[in-house]
């Protein structure tokens, strides 16, 4: 069990030794949340939600009906559901999906992700390319990693630019959708 105070919001999470960051909330996730501007009216997707930190935190700020969470891992989905109930935001929509393959919702104002970045780039490539298409114009994708160059280049190629915030060895990328087509096409 993890007890946390994230930007003044008290939360608790059940975890498992078989999933990412089981002993405490990942510093990269906390870094991303420290710069995310979440206000009412936001429609948010927590992409690769793990045990639910980002989505549950967002739901407490903007309302549970405005939050969607997804992960490929069945254990993560089960824990996210338990944690949403535990933190009194059971109205969030939690979807098991390999990236965007089973997510049919669109017109998000925010997509937040701490993608797996210790493997190849196929997962974040999918997240970025398909995420662009699921954002409304003016919507933002926020990603956090410890790698800079590949993400900077990919987000710039798709979105036409990216703002990078470096905090404590993590890079938070904020890219805004400015048009209906990829910037490089």
């Amino acid at each position: 069990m993890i007890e946390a105070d994230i930007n003044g919001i008290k939360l608790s999470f059940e975890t498992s030794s078989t999933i990412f960051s089981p002993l405490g909330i990942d510093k990269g996730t906390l870094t991303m949340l420290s710069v995310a501007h979440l206000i009412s009216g936001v429609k948010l997707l927590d992409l690769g939600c793990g045990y639910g930190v980002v989505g549950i935190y967002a739901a407490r700020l903007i309302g549970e009906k405005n939050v969607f969470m997804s992960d490929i891992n069945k254990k993560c989905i089960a824990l996210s559901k338990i944690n949403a109930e535990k933190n009194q935001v059971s109205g969030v929509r939690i979807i098991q999906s390999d990236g965007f393959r089973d997510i049919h919702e669109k017109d998000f104002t925010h997509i937040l992700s701490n993608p797996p970045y210790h493997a190849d780039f196929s997962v974040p490539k999918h997240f970025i390319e398909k995420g662009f298409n699921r954002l409304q114009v003016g919507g933002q994708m926020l990603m956090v990693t410890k790698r800079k160059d590949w993400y900077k280049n990919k987000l710039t190629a798709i979105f036409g630019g990216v703002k990078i915030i470096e905090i404590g060895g993590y890079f938070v990328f904020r890219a805004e959708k400015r048009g209906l087509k990829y910037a490089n096409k």
Side-chain angles (χ1 to χ4, degrees), residues 82-154:
I82 289 166
N83 290 329
E85 190 78 32
K86 178 184 293 294
N87 289 284
Q88 302 172 347
V89 291
S90 58
V92 296
R93 286 166 264 183
I94 302 170
I95 305 156
Q96 184 175 351
S97 181
D98 181 1
F100 284 95
R101 288 172 181 87
D102 294 309
I103 299 171
H104 305 292
E105 196 68 29
K106 56 185 177 179
D107 295 325
F108 291 104
T109 59
H110 289 69
I111 297 174
L112 276 66
S113 185
N114 183 350
Y117 54 86
H118 295 296
D120 68 38
F121 292 105
S122 63
V123 172
K125 179 179 184 283
H126 171 82
F127 283 12
I128 293 166
E129 291 176 354
K130 300 304 179 191
F132 177 90
N133 296 324
R134 299 303 179 88
L135 285 167
Q136 61 180 246
V137 173
Q140 298 181 358
M141 175 172 275
L142 275 79
M143 298 185 115
V144 63
T145 75
K146 283 194 163 193
R147 296 181 177 185
K148 182 179 179 185
D149 293 336
W150 185 90
Y151 286 87
K152 176 185 175 187
N153 294 337
K154 185 64 177 175

Side-chain angles (χ1 to χ4, degrees), residues 5-7 25-35 53 114:
D5 184 323
I6 304 174
N7 302 325
I25 298 173
D26 173 67
K27 285 183 172 55
T29 296
L30 292 172
T31 299
M32 179 174 62
L33 291 176
S34 77
V35 300
V53 174
N114 183 350

Side-chain angles (χ1 to χ4, degrees), residues 145-182:
T145 75
K146 283 194 163 193
R147 296 181 177 185
K148 182 179 179 185
D149 293 336
W150 185 90
Y151 286 87
K152 176 185 175 187
N153 294 337
K154 185 64 177 175
L155 285 159
T156 298
I158 299 301
F159 285 86
V162 64
K163 180 178 180 185
I164 304 168
I165 303 161
E166 183 178 2
I167 302 172
Y170 289 92
F171 299 98
V172 179
F173 302 89
R174 183 189 311 269
E176 182 179 326
K177 182 175 178 176
R178 297 183 186 134
L180 297 176
K181 296 184 180 182
Y182 291 167

Side-chain angles (χ1 to χ4, degrees), residues 31-101:
T31 299
M32 179 174 62
L33 291 176
S34 77
V35 300
H37 304 292
L38 305 178
I39 58 173
S40 66
V42 165
K43 180 179 177 184
L44 181 137
L45 172 62
D46 176 3
L47 183 59
C49 65
Y51 50 86
V53 174
V54 171
I56 291 168
Y57 168 77
R60 293 282 300 272
L61 285 174
I62 64 172
E64 57 196 273
K65 299 293 183 199
N66 296 329
V67 175
F68 296 76
M69 300 164 60
S70 73
D71 205 288
I72 191 172
N73 185 308
K74 287 181 185 181
K75 181 71 171 175
C76 289
I77 295 299
L79 284 168
S80 289
K81 289 178 180 179
I82 289 166
N83 290 329
E85 190 78 32
K86 178 184 293 294
N87 289 284
Q88 302 172 347
V89 291
S90 58
V92 296
R93 286 166 264 183
I94 302 170
I95 305 156
Q96 184 175 351
S97 181
D98 181 1
F100 284 95
R101 288 172 181 87

